Amino acid sequence: MVLKSVNKLKGQLKVPADKSISHRSVMFGSLAEGHTEISDCLLSADCMSTISCFKKLGIEINVDKEKGHVDVYGKGLHGLTSPSGILDTGNSGTTTRLISGILSGQSFSSTLSGDESLNTRPMKRIITPLSMMGADIKSKNGNDCAPLIINPSKLKGIAYTSPLSSAQVKSAIILAGLYADGETSVTEPYLSRNHTELMLKGFGAEITSENKTATIKPEPKLVGQNITVPGDISSAAYFIAAGLIIPGSEILIKNVGINETRAGILRVCENMGAEIVYLDPKNISGEPVCDLFIKSQPLKGSVIEGEIIPALIDEIPIIAVMAAFAEGQTIIKDAADLKAKESDRIYTTVTNLKKMGADITATDDGMIINGTGALKGAALDSFADHRIAMSMAVAALAAEGTTDIENADCVNISYPNFYKDLLSLTK
Ligand code: S3P
């Protein structure tokens, strides 16, 4: 993908539906009794992996790709049936980890496997707590990665203190907790995204959240729901950054989910000196949503660490791009888990931005960026990571000259129309 420097971005757009919420609505709809109707569902490659897994597990799911509409005919907590063959989770960590929790509680065996990247991502983080619950879950090749083989077993409730602030780990345990013999709780160092807790409650589960602990009671009766999925702040992030750093820009981003456990990027932009205008606040399916008006403005460096990290973990590559255009130093710490994403995002962000002339250094748990206020076009690689491709596309429009991004079509994982939407603002 070849992208050239642009003068400004102007216009409005509606970003695609939230990926995390779309996955969960299909999964919980499959475990509920009756019809779950999902409007504005994301139907990117990752969410299609979830849909195809649940179809293989015997659930009728009808997809209208044009409308982003999905009908799930759930069969209740014990309605899944033995899949014929391997469950293919593609590139999706969320599918793999959350479904592992569900499959641990079934009376049949299953094998999960994904693409090359997925099958190198760490699964010990779920194998350990699920095994503590009594699950029979093993890494096929003994390397703590997928393929995972899950055999039937009886699950017991546990109180797990997680070493990681990870919504995927938390959700895997909570979902196994649906099938346990008693209450299950998960405590994390800092609160990660809470979509599982909010949505499961909406389906009828007895689940409570107190500070950093979520607790679930087993064997609830989940009932099908009507869900509208709000826009994804992780997709909006690219337009927020582009609007701020490309001089003369004015962008209205409609229908963005701003759940506090996801909206760390907005707080960072404000700490960097940006003024973001929040318009038309509303609540959609239990999630706060609003429109964001973004105008280009000068940014200053910031320190990003600790509690806020889980609320912006997927946005760090694009925050690094903003930091390159800011005045002063930005330090990103406590984000070592970036190495365990679709690519090692410390390495892939730093490598690409260095090629564009940024003053950026990788650290063990993040990166340090000395803003120079400018970047230059270069030959880049997405490393088949959708968030790296989108971050570098924004950097390319803001940089001088021409940038060529290899493997740019991996945006299909979360945002198939990304380049179309981005380029629509240049006209
Ligand atoms: C997600 C949780 C995060 C995030 C991922 C989606 C989710 O991962 O990076 O893109 O939907 O639960 P971790 O839980 O591994 O931090």
Side-chain angles (χ1 to χ4, degrees), residues 109-156:
S109 299
S110 35
T111 302
L112 295 170
S113 186
D115 68 11
E116 211 183 308
S117 150
L118 190 279
N119 285 358
T120 62
R121 294 180 66 186
M123 293 297 152
K124 192 164 186 196
R125 55 185 64 198
I126 55 158
I127 295 175
T128 299
L130 292 175
S131 302
M132 285 165 69
M133 295 179 79
D136 182 350
I137 172 168
K138 282 187 190 67
S139 157
K140 185 168 179 240
N141 300 325
N143 58 355
D144 290 326
C145 295
L148 298 174
I149 299 171
I150 304 174
N151 289 314
S153 63
K154 279 219 159 325
L155 299 184
K156 55 179 190 286

Side-chain angles (χ1 to χ4, degrees), residues 19-20 24 94 97-98 125 165-169 171 193 313-314 337 341-342 387:
K19 182 155 81 73
S20 293
R24 286 159 173 81
T94 306
R97 297 196 178 109
L98 270 61
R125 55 185 64 198
S165 297
S166 158
Q168 294 181 355
V169 171
S171 302
R193 64 191 66 188
I313 188 73
D314 291 339
D337 214 41
K341 298 294 177 188
E342 287 84 331
R387 303 217 180 274

Side-chain angles (χ1 to χ4, degrees), residues 16-29 38 40-44 46-48 50 54 92-95 98-99 121 166-171 175 192-200 203 227-235 257 259 261-263 287 310-315 341-342 345 386-387 413-415:
D18 190 280
K19 182 155 81 73
S20 293
I21 298 175
S22 298
H23 279 299
R24 286 159 173 81
S25 52
V26 171
M27 291 184 182
F28 306 167
I38 312 168
D40 285 344
C41 190
L42 181 67
L43 295 169
S44 68
D46 262 13
C47 298
M48 291 313 289
T50 290
F54 280 91
S92 176
T94 306
T95 310
L98 270 61
I99 210 173
R121 294 180 66 186
S166 158
Q168 294 181 355
V169 171
K170 172 172 66 178
S171 302
L175 290 167
S192 64
R193 64 191 66 188
N194 62 0
H195 306 303
T196 294
E197 297 92 305
L198 295 177
M199 195 187 287
L200 264 184
F203 272 90
I227 295 172
T228 302
V229 181
D232 197 325
I233 191 163
S234 297
S235 299
N259 177 321
T261 63
R262 293 289 299 285
E287 296 274 350
L312 49 69
I313 188 73
D314 291 339
E315 286 64 77
K341 298 294 177 188
E342 287 84 331
R345 288 185 180 155
H386 56 131
R387 303 217 180 274
I413 291 298
S414 63
Y415 197 159

Side-chain angles (χ1 to χ4, degrees), residues 393-412:
V394 170
L397 297 194
E400 291 153 25
T402 303
T403 295
D404 192 354
I405 307 174
E406 201 162 327
N407 287 316
D409 59 358
C410 56
V411 300
N412 286 335

Side-chain angles (χ1 to χ4, degrees), residues 12 15 33 46 163 169 171 176 192 213 220 224 241 250 277 304 329 381:
Q12 67 173 54
V15 290
E33 281 170 32
D46 262 13
V169 171
S171 302
S192 64
T213 303
E250 281 187 4
V277 183
I304 303 159
Q329 189 171 67
D381 191 348

